[in-house]
Amino acid sequence: MRKRFIAERVFLSKLTQAIKELTPTRQIVILGIESSCDDTSAAVLVDDKIHANITADQAFHRNFGGVVPEAASRAHQRDILPVVEAALAEAKIDKSQLDAIAYTRGPGLLGSLLVGSSFAKSLAQALGVPAIPIHHIRAHVLAHFIDTGASKPSFPFLCLTVSGGHTLILKVDSPFEYRILGETLDDAAGEAFDKAAKLLGLPYPGGPLIDKLAQSGDPRKFAFTKPKVPGIDLSFSGLKSNIKQFIDRSLKSNPDFIEQHLNDLAASIQFTIVSMLLEQLIFATKHTGIREVALAGGVSANSELRAQLQTHAQKYGWNTYTPPIQYCTDNGAMIAIAGKFALEAGELGALADAAVAKWEIE
Ligand code: KG4
Ligand code: ZN
């Protein structure tokens, strides 16, 4: 009796497998649109793989020392159609093949968000497919689930999410459940990089430039005070004042101080910011007992942050996850993968969903 039962189960499972192989499962195709700040980006996701990810950045903000919101909105309006068309062409996907359009609803610059969200909703309406509103920071985290061949974090995991506007240590329980364990009380980590770069006379955004200059600098040449706050939170504004006072003092005795020590200054500033982030991340892993540790957001492209993460991973036995560089800074791909999770969960949003400058992650 038992033998017959087992034989039947084996037969059934073989039959199911054969049917699966004969019936080609239809692919899910999602267009992701990101326009929350100064990058207009569109990506095409086919199942979990990115077939195109095209970004038009707005380099002209450099001349103003930061993003000019009104100019950003106008540039998004100029670039959005060519960027979307280029992404579809590169992916060899016709608009009629799209199953959904995911767009950044917030948080971000309202004018910029309005361009992407209005465009996405209009196109979705014309094609008769859902327009899915996406949380920008959640999307940074979910970029880890794009199929790149690399292993993906298992839930729950900790994610140090560091961008130009946010610094969060998150406990991620599922694609839809986020808990903030710690956050910055003032400037974001990216902002700390950008403000320090400005003090060194570097153009916006200074983070990548500091990273580059630091490659040939001594990270221990100059010591800056790391502002301490209780618990798992962070504060960067005191660091900026400390760097400014140090530079002002040094320039008084040597007007060429910055030029003569640019690489060491960049390396020392970078080392201080990254060490502050890592100290709180270590605290969070000890507090939760979670050893699945990921990075996300623009600052996760930083080479010192990636290197220090590896050092600590070996010391504490963490499994670490860092997104490929192209999915660290703002991109349409992360919006598309977040859209895939939402589509599968039936969280489609509504056409009346308005863009929001502020949006809690929890
Ligand atoms: O995530 P993101 O592209 O945009 C926001 O959502 O804010 O992050 C932009 C931030 C900027 O502050 C930029 O200076 C910083 O990320 N950033 C870096 C690096 N690449 C980008 N900071 C340090 N090192 C880098 N390699
Ligand atoms: Zn971002």
Side-chain angles (χ1 to χ4, degrees), residues 202-337:
L202 302 171
Y204 175 88
L209 295 171
I210 291 210
D211 193 354
K212 210 167 156 198
L213 289 163
Q215 305 290 325
S216 38
D218 176 1
R220 293 179 197 273
K221 176 87 181 179
F222 304 109
F224 299 107
T225 327
K226 294 186 220 160
K228 272 263 171 221
V229 284
I232 309 182
D233 289 333
L234 285 137
S235 165
F236 290 106
S237 66
L239 175 65
K240 189 202 133 188
S241 314
N242 185 232
I243 297 169
K244 183 170 170 12
Q245 282 162 6
F246 172 74
I247 289 179
D248 287 349
R249 234 183 6 251
S250 308
L251 284 175
K252 271 196 189 136
S253 51
N254 174 10
D256 297 327
F257 179 77
I258 294 180
E259 290 91 277
Q260 286 169 5
H261 299 282
L262 194 54
N263 297 88
D264 290 340
L265 280 166
S268 303
I269 290 167
Q270 174 172 276
F271 183 74
T272 311
I273 296 174
V274 169
S275 305
M276 285 172 66
L277 292 171
L278 259 304
E279 277 163 25
Q280 294 303 65
L281 189 56
I282 292 166
F283 189 27
T285 59
K286 288 184 178 163
H287 179 73
T288 57
I290 296 174
R291 289 183 180 185
E292 292 280 298
V293 183
L295 297 182
V299 181
S300 64
N302 184 266
S303 53
E304 175 69 20
L305 179 56
R306 288 171 169 248
Q308 281 202 28
L309 183 77
Q310 288 325 314
T311 311
H312 292 297
Q314 279 175 7
K315 184 167 170 198
Y316 296 109
W318 299 344
N319 297 320
T320 59
Y321 306 89
T322 45
I325 299 288
Q326 70 270 28
Y327 304 143
C328 288
T329 44
D330 290 348
N331 63 88
M334 67 186 197
I335 304 301
I337 191 78

Side-chain angles (χ1 to χ4, degrees), residues 36 44 58 75 84 87 116 119 143 160 170 183 239 305 313 315-316 333 337:
S36 67
V44 178
Q58 301 177 1
V84 166
F119 181 92
L160 173 64
L170 296 169
E183 62 188 318
L239 175 65
L305 179 56
K315 184 167 170 198
Y316 296 109
I337 191 78

Side-chain angles (χ1 to χ4, degrees), residues 36-37 39 136-137 140 162-166 189-191 193-194 204-208 211 270 297-299 301-303 328-330:
S36 67
C37 189
D39 289 311
H136 179 83
I137 302 297
H140 268 300
V162 271
S163 70
H166 291 81
E191 226 174 332
F193 269 105
D194 296 339
Y204 175 88
D211 193 354
Q270 174 172 276
V299 181
N302 184 266
S303 53
C328 288
T329 44
D330 290 348

Side-chain angles (χ1 to χ4, degrees), residues 132-150:
I132 306 176
I134 298 296
H135 190 291
H136 179 83
I137 302 297
R138 287 187 177 194
H140 268 300
V141 176
L142 295 174
H144 285 284
F145 296 91
I146 294 169
D147 185 356
T148 59

